[in-house]
Short mmCIF file of all heavy atoms in Angstrom, two decimals:
data_model
loop_
_atom_site.label_atom_id
_atom_site.label_comp_id
_atom_site.label_asym_id
_atom_site.label_seq_id
_atom_site.Cartn_x
_atom_site.Cartn_y
_atom_site.Cartn_z
N LEU A 21 5.08 8.05 4.15
CA LEU A 21 5.76 9.34 4.12
C LEU A 21 6.23 9.61 2.70
O LEU A 21 6.68 8.70 2.01
CB LEU A 21 7.00 9.31 5.01
CG LEU A 21 6.85 9.37 6.51
CD1 LEU A 21 8.22 9.37 7.15
CD2 LEU A 21 6.08 10.61 6.92
N SER A 26 14.94 16.87 2.49
CA SER A 26 15.21 18.20 3.02
C SER A 26 14.87 18.31 4.51
O SER A 26 15.22 19.27 5.17
CB SER A 26 14.41 19.25 2.24
OG SER A 26 13.03 19.11 2.55
N VAL A 37 22.98 7.10 13.42
CA VAL A 37 23.58 6.79 14.72
C VAL A 37 24.07 5.34 14.76
O VAL A 37 25.12 5.04 15.35
CB VAL A 37 22.59 7.08 15.86
CG1 VAL A 37 23.12 6.56 17.19
CG2 VAL A 37 22.31 8.57 15.96
N ALA A 109 14.60 -20.08 16.35
CA ALA A 109 13.52 -20.93 15.83
C ALA A 109 13.38 -20.62 14.34
O ALA A 109 12.69 -19.68 13.94
CB ALA A 109 12.23 -20.64 16.56
N SER A 133 14.37 -14.63 4.49
CA SER A 133 13.97 -15.58 5.54
C SER A 133 14.74 -16.89 5.47
O SER A 133 15.14 -17.33 4.38
CB SER A 133 12.48 -15.88 5.39
OG SER A 133 12.08 -16.86 6.33
N ALA A 144 3.07 0.53 5.31
CA ALA A 144 1.85 1.15 5.87
C ALA A 144 2.17 1.89 7.16
O ALA A 144 3.18 1.65 7.81
CB ALA A 144 0.79 0.09 6.13
N PHE A 162 -3.75 -15.60 13.18
CA PHE A 162 -4.15 -14.83 14.36
C PHE A 162 -4.94 -15.66 15.37
O PHE A 162 -5.46 -15.11 16.34
CB PHE A 162 -4.92 -13.57 13.94
CG PHE A 162 -4.03 -12.42 13.52
CD1 PHE A 162 -4.34 -11.64 12.41
CD2 PHE A 162 -2.88 -12.12 14.22
CE1 PHE A 162 -3.53 -10.57 12.02
CE2 PHE A 162 -2.04 -11.07 13.84
CZ PHE A 162 -2.37 -10.30 12.73
N PRO A 165 -0.62 -17.44 19.15
CA PRO A 165 0.05 -16.27 19.73
C PRO A 165 0.98 -15.55 18.76
O PRO A 165 1.66 -16.16 17.94
CB PRO A 165 0.84 -16.88 20.90
CG PRO A 165 0.07 -18.09 21.27
CD PRO A 165 -0.47 -18.64 19.99
N LEU A 170 6.72 -2.94 19.08
CA LEU A 170 6.55 -1.52 18.74
C LEU A 170 7.70 -0.78 19.41
O LEU A 170 7.53 -0.21 20.49
CB LEU A 170 5.19 -1.01 19.28
CG LEU A 170 3.92 -1.55 18.61
CD1 LEU A 170 2.70 -1.25 19.47
CD2 LEU A 170 3.75 -0.94 17.22
N GLY A 220 12.13 20.31 21.87
CA GLY A 220 11.98 21.48 21.01
C GLY A 220 12.87 21.38 19.78
O GLY A 220 12.42 21.60 18.65
N VAL A 255 15.43 0.76 29.03
CA VAL A 255 15.74 -0.39 28.16
C VAL A 255 17.06 -1.07 28.52
O VAL A 255 17.18 -2.29 28.42
CB VAL A 255 15.74 -0.01 26.65
CG1 VAL A 255 14.35 0.29 26.16
CG2 VAL A 255 16.69 1.16 26.35
N THR A 269 22.49 6.91 29.86
CA THR A 269 21.12 6.77 30.34
C THR A 269 20.22 6.93 29.13
O THR A 269 20.23 7.97 28.48
CB THR A 269 20.81 7.90 31.36
OG1 THR A 269 21.82 7.86 32.36
CG2 THR A 269 19.45 7.72 32.00
#
Side-chain angles (χ1 to χ4, degrees):
L21 284 182
S26 70
V37 171
S133 176
F162 279 138
L170 291 165
V255 290
T269 307

